[in-house]
C-alpha cells in the first residue's frame, strides 16, 4: 500500500529526498492558476484538477516519480474582469517556476515533468522547460494534462457537448472531473451552456476538439457573459472519473518516456578546424 509520504515531496525528510533523487525519479510539478470558472465551479478548479491528475499518476509509480508541491498561481490577466482570479506577471511566473526547477536540479533530480492545468500558462511552461534544459543540462518537459496520451480519445468518446467549443473552460470536461473529486463544491443548478464567440472556420485552438493553427486570447469578459466557455450541463462524475483515469495513465507514459530518455552529449564544434 503506497503511503503519500512515499511520493509527496513535501511530506519527506531531506534524507528521503536525497534517496528519491538517487533513484532517478522524475520530479512532477503541477502548475495551474486560481481563476473564475463560471457560476457553478470554485476558483481553484485548475489547481484541483491538475493536482488530482498528477497525484493519481505518481501514486501508481512512487519508485519512478515524485510529486512536487504545486505552483498554484499563474497567468490570468485576461480574467480580471471577474472577481476571483489571482494573476502573476508572465515574467514572474517564468522566473518562479524556473527557480523551482533549478532547486530540484540542485538536489539531484535530472528529469522534470511540468504538468500544466491552465491553458494560458502554456507558452510559459514551454519556455520554462527550455530554460531549465539550457541553463542546467537536466531534462525538463512540459505538458497540459488534458493533452497527455489517450485523454483526447477518452474525452471524445464521452463527449455530449458541442464538438467545437463544448470543452473549453468550466465546461463538460472540467466540471466532470470536479464532480468526480468534490461534488459538494459544484452547484450544478447554476451550470449554464455558453459557447462564446463561435469561429466561422476551424482555425482556432480549443481545449479538446478544435486544433486549428491560430492562437489568440481576448479578455474573457468580452467572450463570455458567465465565465463559462463550453457546456457544463453535460458533465457527470462518471465522465470525470474516466477522464482522471485517462489523464493519470497518460502522465505515467510521459514520466516513463522522460525517464527512459538518454541525456544526449553536447558537442562543441568551435575547436580546431
Ligand atoms: Zn480551467
Amino acid at each position: 500500500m503506497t503511503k503519500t509520504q512515499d511520493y509527496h515531496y513535501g511530506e519527506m525528510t531531506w534524507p528521503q529526498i536525497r534517496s528519491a533523487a538517487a533513484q532517478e525519479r522524475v520530479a512532477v510539478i503541477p502548475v495551474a492558476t486560481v481563476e473564475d470558472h463560471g457560476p457553478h465551479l470554485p476558483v481553484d478548479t485548475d489547481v484541483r484538477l491538475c493536482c488530482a491528475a498528477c497525484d493519481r499518476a505518481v501514486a501508481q509509480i512512487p519508485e519512478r516519480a515524485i510529486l512536487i508541491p504545486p505552483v498554484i498561481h499563474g497567468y490570468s490577466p485576461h480574467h480580471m474582469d471577474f472577481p476571483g482570479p489571482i494573476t502573476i506577471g508572465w515574467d514572474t511566473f517564468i522566473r518562479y517556476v524556473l527557480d523551482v526547477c533549478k532547486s530540484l536540479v540542485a538536489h539531484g533530480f535530472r528529469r522534470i515533468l511540468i504538468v500544466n492545468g491552465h491553458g494560458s500558462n502554456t507558452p510559459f511552461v514551454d519556455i520554462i522547460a527550455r530554460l531549465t534544459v539550457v541553463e542546467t543540462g537536466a531534462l525538463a518537459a512540459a505538458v497540459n494534462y488534458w493533452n497527455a496520451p489517450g485523454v483526447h480519445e477518452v474525452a471524445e468518446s464521452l463527449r455530449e457537448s458541442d464538438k467545437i467549443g463544448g470543452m473549453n473552460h468550466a465546461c463538460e470536461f472540467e466540471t466532470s472531473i470536479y464532480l468526480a473529486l468534490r461534488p459538494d463544491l459544484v452547484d450544478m443548478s447554476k451550470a449554464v451552456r455558453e459557447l462564446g464567440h463561435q469561429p466561422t472556420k476551424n482555425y482556432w485552438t480549443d481545449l479538446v476538439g478544435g486544433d486549428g493553427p491560430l492562437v489568440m486570447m481576448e479578455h474573457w469578459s468580452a467572450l463570455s457573459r458567465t465565465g463559462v466557455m463550453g457546456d457544463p450541463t453535460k458533465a457527470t462524475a462518471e465522465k470525470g472519473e474516466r477522464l482522471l483515469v485517462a489523464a493519470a495513465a497518460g502522465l505515467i507514459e510521459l514520466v516513463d518516456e522522460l525517464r527512459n530518455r538518454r541525456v544526449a552529449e553536447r558537442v562543441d564544434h568551435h575547436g580546431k578546424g
Side-chain angles (χ1 to χ4, degrees):
M1 180 68 184
T2 304
K3 305 190 303 292
T4 55
Q5 196 184 28
D6 293 337
Y7 67 97
H8 277 208
Y9 186 98
E11 297 180 11
M12 294 180 181
T13 62
W14 71 257
Q16 288 171 321
I17 286 170
R18 182 170 62 186
S19 300
Q23 292 164 0
E24 300 191 27
R25 287 157 71 170
V26 175
V28 175
I29 313 174
V31 306
T33 202
V34 172
E35 75 178 10
D36 55 289
H37 273 74
H40 67 294
L41 282 178
V43 294
D44 76 348
T45 296
D46 288 348
V47 176
R48 189 179 299 274
L49 273 46
C50 185
C51 287
C54 291
D55 198 306
R56 286 220 189 179
V58 180
Q60 295 176 57
I61 49 167
E63 69 294 340
R64 312 206 292 276
I66 183 168
L67 183 63
I68 308 305
V71 174
I72 67 168
H73 297 304
Y75 181 76
S76 305
H78 52 301
H79 274 261
M80 291 299 280
D81 290 335
F82 290 90
I86 295 175
T87 185
I88 64 175
W90 60 269
D91 48 348
T92 308
F93 179 74
I94 289 172
R95 289 179 189 284
Y96 180 23
V97 183
L98 178 60
D99 282 350
V100 173
C101 292
K102 285 182 172 176
S103 298
L104 293 167
V105 174
H107 301 319
F109 294 96
R110 304 290 299 164
R111 291 173 168 80
I112 296 171
L113 181 62
I114 302 166
V115 180
N116 178 37
H118 169 54
S120 293
N121 286 345
T122 304
F124 309 118
V125 293
D126 178 351
I127 289 172
I128 293 158
R130 287 165 183 265
L131 287 169
T132 303
V133 172
V134 296
E135 294 189 17
T136 72
L139 295 181
V143 65
N144 293 337
Y145 76 85
W146 56 85
N147 289 335
V151 178
H152 282 219
E153 288 78 359
V154 171
E156 289 305 337
S157 76
L158 298 172
R159 182 195 286 272
E160 293 177 87
S161 60
D162 312 69
K163 169 71 180 163
I164 300 296
M167 293 191 183
N168 194 318
H169 177 87
C171 53
E172 181 186 19
F173 186 99
E174 288 191 314
T175 306
S176 291
I177 300 180
Y178 213 119
L179 281 171
L181 294 169
R182 286 292 302 272
D184 55 308
L185 297 180
V186 184
D187 186 350
M188 286 301 282
S189 72
K190 296 209 168 71
V192 290
R193 171 179 178 269
E194 183 173 356
L195 299 184
H197 289 212
Q198 280 307 290
T200 51
K201 293 186 173 160
N202 187 17
Y203 287 158
W204 302 92
T205 181
D206 189 8
L207 179 64
V208 179
D211 55 357
L214 281 176
V215 290
M216 180 174 75
M217 184 50 68
E218 296 162 272
H219 287 279
W220 206 250
S221 64
L223 301 173
S224 170
R225 191 179 49 81
T226 61
V228 170
M229 195 83 77
D231 190 358
T233 68
K234 300 293 196 301
T236 68
E238 293 70 31
K239 289 179 189 173
E241 179 59 28
R242 295 268 310 276
L243 291 166
L244 267 178
V245 168
L251 291 174
I252 289 172
E253 280 189 41
L254 297 179
V255 164
D256 286 335
E257 172 68 17
L258 201 52
R259 201 159 186 274
N260 295 331
R261 189 179 173 97
R262 196 173 57 87
V263 181
E265 284 289 317
R266 290 176 67 182
V267 179
D268 186 346
H269 291 284
H270 290 91
K272 316 166 197 62

